[in-house]
Amino acid sequence: MMISPLELRHLRTLAALRETGSVSRAAQQLCLTQSALSHQLRVLEEHYGAALFERKTQPLVFTPVGKRLLRLADTVAAELRDAETDIRQLVGGRSGQLRIAVECHTCFDWLMPAMDRLRERWPEIELDLVSGFHTDPFALLRTDRADLVILHQRAVEPGCVLHPLFRFEIRALLARTHALAARPWLEPVDFANETLITYPAPDDMIDVIRDVLRPAGVFPPRRDCELTVAIVQLVASRRGVAALPAWAVQPFVERGYVVDRPIGAAGLHGELYASSLPHMAQVAYVQDFLGGVRETVSASLPGIELLPSE
């Protein structure tokens, strides 16, 4: 009987190709060179005598052979996750607590499904949220008021472990009849005569102010609002403009309630990270939660890019 060259790494490669839509991005996600990834694919295609996906398509279109291997990859990945969870629970115990400090309003769109996943897999873990804005989120870790903090940008703190999560686009939100809706993208000067509607947070925590407007010397008046749906309503009513994550505004854009545009020709992107103390970074249910976050956002949020682990 012929021995199959198929290995777990090949299944992970196929899953990454489906997730990212291109060979180059899949290689980046897997921390491989593009030639190494292409070699893996070539080995499988030579073994099966068939292509796994159609070349020169964007995004990639898998052949029937590729789709069958993807179904296998999904089955194996699920079984592997369950086995690793069982083993971690057997070795490290099933009880404990995870207090998560959150400093961004839109986190809940993906955080709650990830927490639900953890409750299902680790029912004895006590979950809690430490919400609100904190001038020094790392102090929550050092003073044992939180076990994990979600950060709105990359911040390296001595004595803490950084856990990269994902990258996403931030889009300008406009009323359908707004004059700026005719632009392909917005420049900093376009915000000068507008009221910027934001979540109630310091300027340094609002990407469009910190990374776009302030460097350009543009300081529009601000109006704070707690809820995403309320911000969208104010924008639709011509009370101002906003800059929100693409996944948060997509349902409203798809319904034609408002329109969105890139900020700058290359677009504005934000990143989310988590941080913990070193001993918590080694805890099995914390590792499983962080893996679950990446899994959840990959499956449910449009237009995100997983950040490579450090």
Side-chain angles (χ1 to χ4, degrees):
M1 185 176 67
M2 182 180 297
I3 298 176
S4 173
L6 189 63
E7 299 176 7
L8 183 59
R9 62 193 176 103
H10 297 128
L11 298 179
R12 285 175 171 156
T13 292
L14 290 170
L17 279 171
R18 177 180 58 190
E19 179 181 309
T20 61
S22 78
V23 173
S24 60
R25 288 196 295 271
Q28 182 182 26
Q29 178 175 313
L30 295 169
C31 299
L32 296 173
T33 64
Q34 190 167 334
S35 60
L37 188 144
S38 297
H39 176 72
Q40 287 187 24
L41 298 172
R42 194 159 52 247
V43 167
L44 293 181
E45 290 181 328
E46 289 176 356
H47 173 73
Y48 293 113
L52 302 180
F53 56 90
E54 301 292 341
R55 265 63 176 181
K56 298 181 180 179
T57 59
Q58 196 62 247
L60 294 180
V61 176
F62 285 88
T63 65
V65 174
K67 291 177 180 177
R68 181 62 185 89
L69 289 176
L70 279 172
R71 292 201 300 273
L72 175 62
D74 291 338
T75 300
V76 171
E79 288 293 327
L80 182 60
R81 286 194 301 269
D82 290 344
E84 289 184 339
T85 297
D86 291 343
I87 291 169
R88 287 170 177 168
Q89 291 175 343
L90 290 170
V91 173
R94 296 175 179 267
S95 63
Q97 67 175 355
L98 181 57
R99 297 162 297 172
I100 305 169
V102 182
E103 58 179 20
C104 60
H105 286 74
T106 53
C107 284
F108 296 99
D109 290 342
W110 54 265
L111 182 60
M112 302 311 289
M115 293 178 70
D116 289 342
R117 174 187 179 276
L118 188 71
R119 287 190 188 94
E120 181 179 341
R121 294 163 65 88
W122 298 80
E124 301 302 319
I125 300 303
E126 181 181 345
L127 281 172
D128 196 8
L129 284 176
V130 184
S131 60
F133 293 101
H134 306 277
T135 56
D136 183 7
F138 298 106
L140 300 175
L141 301 176
R142 292 191 294 266
T143 58
D144 195 32
R145 288 180 287 161
D147 304 302
L148 192 72
V149 295
I150 306 298
L151 305 171
H152 64 282
Q153 59 182 320
R154 191 178 190 278
V156 178
E157 179 76 4
C160 295
V161 179
L162 192 67
H163 309 281
L165 296 178
F166 59 95
R167 185 172 186 260
F168 56 94
E169 186 176 5
I170 298 168
R171 305 277 289 188
L173 208 61
L174 306 161
R176 290 181 300 168
T177 57
H178 199 294
L180 293 175
R183 304 280 185 87
W185 63 80
L186 268 61
E187 298 289 354
V189 67
D190 295 324
F191 290 85
N193 297 318
E194 303 291 337
T195 297
L196 182 63
I197 305 171
T198 72
Y199 298 116
D203 286 358
D204 284 343
M205 296 180 64
I206 299 176
D207 300 76
V208 69
I209 295 177
R210 183 188 65 242
D211 299 333
V212 177
L213 302 182
R214 189 165 58 190
V218 176
F219 302 95
R222 277 182 59 184
R223 176 173 178 173
D224 292 344
C225 192
E226 289 275 358
L227 301 175
T228 302
V229 66
I231 292 177
V232 173
Q233 188 276 329
L234 289 170
V235 169
S237 301
R238 298 293 299 267
R239 302 296 183 87
V241 300
L244 297 176
W247 82 76
V249 302
Q250 185 181 41
F252 304 103
V253 173
E254 289 178 346
R255 291 199 296 267
Y257 196 55
V258 291
V259 298
D260 66 337
R261 294 292 181 267
I263 300 173
L268 172 64
H269 293 83
E271 295 180 346
L272 284 179
Y273 295 81
S275 185
S276 69
L277 295 179
H279 73 277
M280 287 302 296
Q282 302 304 315
V283 174
Y285 59 80
V286 175
Q287 295 177 349
D288 194 39
F289 173 74
L290 293 169
V293 168
R294 295 168 68 88
E295 178 182 317
T296 298
V297 299
S298 295
S300 62
L301 297 188
I304 68 101
E305 176 186 343
L306 293 179
L307 295 173
S309 300
E310 297 188 349

